[in-house]
Amino acid sequence: MKDSAYKWWALGVLWVACFLQQGMRQIFPPLAPAIGDGFGASAAFRGSVMGIFTLVYALSVPFSGMAGDFLSRKRIVIFSLAVFSLGVMGAGWAGGILGIIVLYGAVNGFGQSFFYPAATSLVQQLHTDSKATALSILQLALYSGIILFSFASGKMLDVCGDWRVPFKAFGAMGVLWAVALVFLLRD
């Protein structure tokens, strides 16, 4: 594939990864009441899950930016997608609140912190003459993921009656896409 076509191909496959990344941030809020009821947890646990996510993300993101300057951005994107997807999927099997905090909060937050710096840097590297357009397309994935995953998580809970299903399903989708990126992205 020629470089002029590959840059748009890469944007497309990164769009899907960004869609998954941002969407997986939105699984927890619509499911939090059902998770809390299932574990008999107080409403305060909701804040601790997202608080841990944000803390781990904030502490990790400077290192992820440095890693993106020195390591393969393709590998960082794949690593990130695999880690946060495994964290989200694992949260579907959590046996208690601590499991949700560790898997969805910490593991997901750590994995997600490595995605955006490497992905946007890769897009900018490929789109030297179309950076603004490419980044705006990538940004569309962010909002699309937020909207669709919020709705889909709540709908899956309504249909299945089990808050674990969205975590397992969306986490598995992310793991599969991470494997696909090994073959779809160039170094």
Side-chain angles (χ1 to χ4, degrees), residues 74-162:
K74 170 190 171 178
R75 290 182 181 160
I76 292 171
V77 165
I78 293 167
F79 164 81
S80 169
L81 183 57
V83 169
F84 74 73
S85 296
L86 287 169
V88 168
M89 190 167 56
W93 279 283
I97 298 302
L98 183 59
I100 299 288
I101 290 170
V102 169
L103 292 164
Y104 189 81
V107 174
N108 181 25
F110 177 78
Q112 287 210 19
S113 73
F114 281 81
F115 180 80
Y116 210 69
T120 55
S121 181
L122 188 56
V123 167
Q124 290 179 44
Q125 180 183 357
L126 292 169
H127 288 267
T128 55
D129 58 342
S130 51
K131 280 182 192 168
T133 300
L135 289 173
S136 67
I137 291 168
L138 192 64
Q139 189 79 8
L140 179 61
L142 185 150
Y143 295 106
S144 300
I146 289 170
I147 294 164
L148 186 63
F149 277 62
S150 294
F151 173 77
S153 295
K155 191 67 172 170
M156 289 170 85
L157 177 62
D158 288 344
V159 170
C160 301
D162 185 356

Side-chain angles (χ1 to χ4, degrees), residues 8-57:
W8 295 104
W9 169 263
L11 177 62
V13 298
L14 288 170
W15 191 97
V16 174
C18 185
F19 172 79
L20 291 167
Q21 183 237 4
Q22 290 296 316
M24 285 194 218
R25 288 186 185 190
Q26 301 308 312
I27 294 171
F28 183 78
L31 304 176
I35 296 168
D37 292 347
F39 289 133
S42 70
F45 100 94
R46 294 180 210 174
S48 65
V49 172
M50 296 313 292
I52 292 296
F53 172 91
T54 305
L55 176 66
V56 170
Y57 189 101

